[in-house]
């Protein structure tokens, strides 16, 4: 804990001095949108965030958490989101037991876990493409409340991902009604592209009709035809805020996104789970329907291929390691097939276990979102330890904000950027003893060189510690020194502030 903040001249010879001459010293950064959920279960320490100066991560985003589940649905959850889940000791599947298992393994950074709507839905009704029965909805609500009792910070949705994509708004509202004043609703919107404004309105409606606080995840306007729409989306959000909705948003500082390659498929391809999807990808009739569905760009699903083009999709990670760092056009060239069949080939060969980096955004939108006073910073970094050529945000988000948007483009002042990464994030997630340097706060601190800090990464060469972070202290102990992690899982699981 920080005992007091005092002038440099108040110095005692017997004190242990940590040098910060010439450095900028700030609270440890808070990554409000992380997918590092599996990190504690990895044998190696997941240092991707702490080397950036991050000391706290909000996990369980985009509707995806590793619990709760049931013994019957555990395999389905693993095949949908985290194959390594099946390597773990079986548990009763409860959120409480999952938290206990993580606590036992230990945390590199502090974790603030959300419970995912996709995960709840898989537990209650699998990957079925329909609305839940009243019983199933009640079961989801009960599991949500158990997760909140156990220490979840709120409910996340990922409404472009199956099975979340099969839900209607009233289902989300029914669940959000069970949230409590010290928890919140976070959402990967139902569309970040053609139906962006409708999707923002849906998230705001969830907040307005239930009184719950809302966090709009990785806010963006995806696809060339939608560039500029953040002007309207931010206006919608500001209008809701003026009506009393407690709503914020977050952003990552890149023009490309990243997600599972299977997100390129329309919802009907996902019904029934991974095996059913693979069967459709091997069926010629289904494939010609798929080709037409992607090409015609009709509404009804988030058509990522249409928005980015095959040249704009770079394979990030695959189960086998093949194709990583290649665009779908390049894969097609190598296999002597058209890029559509390259997409199908990778999905089938890798049994759907592939992720992509996808070029969808425009600098004007990123800058408009990042400068909004209610925007925090989230990496949306890939699942911990998934290897390959992940989107560089996994290793570089926070240094890049300081390099590109503070130092180079002067989009943000240094103070404004730090506020987004620290105090604002702590305010949104109600972390009362993090995010500022003051007496009584936990000593999560980072020291960096504001003149040299940089991510120094690119999309085909994305795995490296950033430059310019001098040291990171977590809970008063130095855990990063000279670009190396020297800690021993000194992080902890955070609990929501009392209501
Ligand atoms: Zn997301």
């Amino acid at each position: 804990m920080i005992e007091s903040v005092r002038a440099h001249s108040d110095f005692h010879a017997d004190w242990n001095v940590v040098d910060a001459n010439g450095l900028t010293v700030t609270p440890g950064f808070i990554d409000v949108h992380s997918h590092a959920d599996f990190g504690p279960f990895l044998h190696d320490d997941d240092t991707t965030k702490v080397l950036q100066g991050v000391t706290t991560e909000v996990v369980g985003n985009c509707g995806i958490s590793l619990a709760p589940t049931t013994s019957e649905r555990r395999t389905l959850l693993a095949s949908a989101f985290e194959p390594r889940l099946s390597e773990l000791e079986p548990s009763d599947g409860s959120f409480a037991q999952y938290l206990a298992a993580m606590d036992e393994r230990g945390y590199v950074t502090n974790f603030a876990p959300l419970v995912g709507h996709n995960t709840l839905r898989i537990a209650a009704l699998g990957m079925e493409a329909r609305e839940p029965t009243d019983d199933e909805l009640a079961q989801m609500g009960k599991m949500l409340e158990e997760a909140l009792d156990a220490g979840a910070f709120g409910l996340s949705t990922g409404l472009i991902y199956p099975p979340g994509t099969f839900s209607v708004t009233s289902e989300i509202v029914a669940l959000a009604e069970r949230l409590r004043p010290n928890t919140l609703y976070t959402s990967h919107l139902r569309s970040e592209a053609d139906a962006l404004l409708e999707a923002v309105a849906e998230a705001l409606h969830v907040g307005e009709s239930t009184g719950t606080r809302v966090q709009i995840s990785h806010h963006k306007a995806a696809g060339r035809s939608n560039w500029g729409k953040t002007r309207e989306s931010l206006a919608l959000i500001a209008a809701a805020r003026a009506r009393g909705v407690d709503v914020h948003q977050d952003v990552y500082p890149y023009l490309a996104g990243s997600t599972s390659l299977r997100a390129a498929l329309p919802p009907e391809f996902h019904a029934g789970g991974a095996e059913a999807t693979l069967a459709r990808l091997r069926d010629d009739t289904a494939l010609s329907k798929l080709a037409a569905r992607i090409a015609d760009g009709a509404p009804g699903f988030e058509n990522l291929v249409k928005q980015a083009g095959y040249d704009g999709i770079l394979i990030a990670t695959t189960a086998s390691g093949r194709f990583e760092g290649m665009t779908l056009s390049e894969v097609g060239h190598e296999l002597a097939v058209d890029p559509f069949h390259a997409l199908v080939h990778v999905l089938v060969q890798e049994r759907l276990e592939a992720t992509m980096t996808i070029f969808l955004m425009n600098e004007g939108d990123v800058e408009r979102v990042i400068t909004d006073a209610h925007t925090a910073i989230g990496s949306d970094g890939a699942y911990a330890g998934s290897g390959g050529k992940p989107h560089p945000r996994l290793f570089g988000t926070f240094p890049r904000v300081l390099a590109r948007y503070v130092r180079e483009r002067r989009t943000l002042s240094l103070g404004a950027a730090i506020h987004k990464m620290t105090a604002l994030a702590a305010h949104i997630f109600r972390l009362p003893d993090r995010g500022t340097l003051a007496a009584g706060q936990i000593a999560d601190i980072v020291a960096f060189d504001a003149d040299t800090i940089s991510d120094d990464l690119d999309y085909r060469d994305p795995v490296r510690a950033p430059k310019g972070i001098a040291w990171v202290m977590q809970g008063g102990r130095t855990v990063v020194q000279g670009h190396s992690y020297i800690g021993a899982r000194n992080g902890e699981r955070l609990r929501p502030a009392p209501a």
Side-chain angles (χ1 to χ4, degrees), residues 4-16:
S4 69
V5 179
R6 279 187 269 171
H8 181 257
S9 57
D10 183 11
F11 175 78
H12 298 250
D14 57 335
W15 284 4
N16 182 10

Side-chain angles (χ1 to χ4, degrees), residues 25-38:
V25 178
T26 75
F29 304 145
I30 299 172
D31 183 353
V32 299
H33 192 99
S34 163
H35 289 290
D37 301 60
F38 201 76

Side-chain angles (χ1 to χ4, degrees), residues 190-271:
R190 204 177 287 276
S191 172
E192 298 179 327
D194 296 350
L196 171 65
L197 300 179
E198 294 85 336
V200 167
E202 180 183 34
L204 296 172
H205 170 73
V206 171
E208 198 148 23
S209 59
T210 64
T212 192
R213 295 183 291 119
V214 177
Q215 177 75 9
I216 293 177
S217 299
H218 42 60
H219 191 44
K220 63 170 77 75
R224 184 174 291 270
S225 58
N226 299 303
W227 289 353
K229 271 192 187 172
T230 57
R231 202 175 279 120
E232 295 153 80
S233 64
L234 288 171
L236 278 179
I237 296 168
R241 198 175 287 125
R243 294 194 302 273
V245 183
D246 189 338
V247 52
H248 292 79
Q249 61 276 340
D250 52 81
V251 70
Y252 49 78
Y254 296 89
L255 303 186
S258 177
T259 189
S260 169
L261 187 63
R262 65 178 109 172
L265 302 174
E268 67 271 17
F269 260 69
H270 297 291

